[in-house]
Amino acid sequence: MASTESGKQESEGDTRLAPDPFTAVLPALAALGAIASIATINWTAQERTPDRARSKRKASMALRDLETCCLGLQEIFRRFLRNPRLFAGEGAPASSPLKFGVHGPRVSSDSARLFQQLINDVASMLVLASQNAFDVMSAVEDGEVNAPDELFFGFGEQQERLNKLIQSRATLKASVETGADVATRLTELVRQLKKHRQD
């Protein structure tokens, strides 16, 4: 009995308050938003100007790297879903909106380490997704990728789903679940985009 009590005290003493999960979920959603913003190239593209910023990579490389980002974001959202206490608001009121300071459960040191690993992964993915999406949009503008309008509308639909999360002040759980589905759909859209590369 004493050993059980001792183990319980040790476990309780090892817990710490996790950083707010919004600090991981929001930039992960922003990375998805960077990819979904490819939708805008369909109606904002203009004639090239000599001083326009240009990608130094071929369209095939940019598309391949963007697909890798999509797969990485799928895995990040899977990890969010596998750890609902840390990232999906489990244990907090179900109606708690996605905002800073609402969610912050006490967690073990292993969970705190997992949180920091995911923060690093999300930060890297945000930088890569933004750069790769820009390079793909440049390739579209340069005529290296010639996709039908419907494909860009698909990116637009995912963009709108992400916008609605913010506008509706969705719960953390709903944001993580929607983000996971958007990541899967964006992966498929990028794969379709690869088929319209002009070799």
Side-chain angles (χ1 to χ4, degrees):
M1 188 74 171
S3 63
T4 304
E5 274 301 311
S6 168
K8 184 179 176 188
Q9 286 176 352
E10 202 173 293
S11 171
E12 287 172 351
D14 195 33
T15 61
R16 51 205 25 82
L17 194 65
D20 195 306
F22 194 25
T23 60
V25 174
L26 182 61
L29 291 172
L32 292 175
I35 298 167
S37 70
I38 288 172
T40 61
I41 196 68
N42 199 35
W43 59 85
T44 60
Q46 299 174 359
E47 290 298 317
R48 294 190 302 219
T49 57
D51 59 344
R52 181 178 66 78
R54 296 188 51 124
S55 170
K56 294 178 181 167
R57 294 186 297 162
K58 290 184 176 180
S60 58
M61 297 281 287
L63 284 162
R64 185 201 65 200
D65 291 348
L66 188 62
E67 182 183 6
T68 301
C69 283
C70 289
L71 293 169
L73 284 162
Q74 277 190 55
E75 179 55 28
I76 284 169
F77 277 94
R78 278 191 208 106
R79 287 160 74 191
F80 287 163
L81 290 168
R82 283 196 303 262
N83 296 279
R85 190 156 181 266
L86 263 182
F87 299 107
E90 188 177 274
S95 61
S96 294
L98 180 65
K99 68 178 183 178
F100 289 112
V102 171
H103 310 276
R106 291 192 95 48
V107 296
S108 68
S109 56
D110 287 346
S111 293
R113 277 193 294 276
L114 170 66
F115 192 98
Q116 290 308 319
Q117 287 169 359
L118 265 163
I119 285 284
N120 288 336
D121 292 346
V122 169
S124 298
M125 208 53 65
L126 178 57
V127 172
L128 292 170
S130 299
Q131 184 61 57
N132 291 326
F134 172 79
D135 288 348
V136 167
M137 285 191 279
S138 294
V140 172
E141 197 171 16
D142 290 343
E144 295 175 39
V145 177
N146 187 16
D149 290 351
E150 291 74 24
L151 192 47
F152 294 103
F153 295 154
F155 282 97
E157 285 170 15
Q158 302 316 308
Q159 190 177 41
E160 191 55 32
R161 291 178 71 194
L162 294 170
N163 289 341
K164 282 181 181 172
L165 290 176
I166 307 302
Q167 292 163 356
S168 67
R169 298 184 72 223
T171 64
L172 191 57
K173 182 176 186 291
S175 299
V176 168
E177 288 172 352
T178 300
D181 188 57
V182 168
T184 300
R185 291 174 187 265
L186 287 174
T187 303
E188 181 53 38
L189 288 165
V190 170
R191 284 176 175 158
Q192 290 180 41
L193 205 54
K194 286 170 72 176
K195 296 175 184 174
H196 297 281
R197 197 176 74 244
Q198 303 298 296
D199 291 323

